[in-house]
Amino acid sequence: QVQLVESGGGLVQPGGSLQLSCTASGSTVSIGHMGWYRQAPGKQRELVAQISSGGLTDYGDYVKGRFTISRDNAKNTAYLHMNNLTPEDTAVYYCAGTTRRFPSPRLRPSHYPYWGQGTQVTVSS
């Protein structure tokens, strides 16, 4: 089994920045694809960003140019650096992971068997 633990959420003012981390641990094996999803109250879960084990990335349209996903394979950790945050970015952010490798960075949520508990990001003045 793989466990994913997110950290770095919190309260930030509009226009501010925040970095989330997600570390995989367990009976593994190096983690393959990792992704970030978010869910705001009353809304469906949506893709924020995802990254392959080789560093190929894919972003949701509304975060392109503002958010950056990266990873440290030696630490089994993915990062999400968020800039120019707006109140619309307020949500619970979930980390997702799989031990499988895929040629494309674009995965569906169903490709990820492992999910973290989520970390709250609140953007408010």
Side-chain angles (χ1 to χ4, degrees):
Q1 279 291 339
V2 174
Q3 292 82 43
L4 300 176
V5 178
E6 304 101 335
S7 62
L11 174 65
V12 62
Q13 292 187 341
S17 299
L18 206 60
Q19 178 164 287
L20 306 182
S21 300
C22 172
T23 298
S25 63
S27 59
T28 326
V29 313
S30 57
I31 199 79
H33 267 67
M34 298 183 78
W36 289 96
Y37 288 78
R38 69 186 185 186
Q39 187 166 20
K43 295 186 177 181
Q44 291 187 336
R45 179 182 58 185
E46 58 187 10
L47 171 70
V48 178
Q50 50 192 341
I51 185 168
S52 70
S53 57
L56 298 177
T57 58
D58 178 45
Y59 293 91
D61 288 340
Y62 36 81
V63 304
K64 286 180 180 178
R66 299 190 298 126
F67 293 9
T68 302
I69 189 171
S70 61
R71 65 186 294 160
D72 184 335
N73 289 337
K75 295 181 179 180
N76 281 337
T77 298
Y79 305 95
L80 182 69
H81 190 76
M82 305 181 290
N83 288 325
N84 195 21
L85 286 160
T86 73
E88 289 69 37
D89 296 313
T90 296
V92 178
Y93 284 69
Y94 296 94
C95 177
T98 175
T99 55
R100 296 180 61 187
R101 266 66 172 173
F102 297 88
S104 169
R106 293 189 172 186
L107 302 185
R108 293 187 297 273
S110 59
H111 285 107
Y112 292 107
Y114 306 113
W115 292 81
Q117 293 298 308
T119 185
Q120 175 71 45
V121 173
T122 302
V123 185
S124 175
S125 55

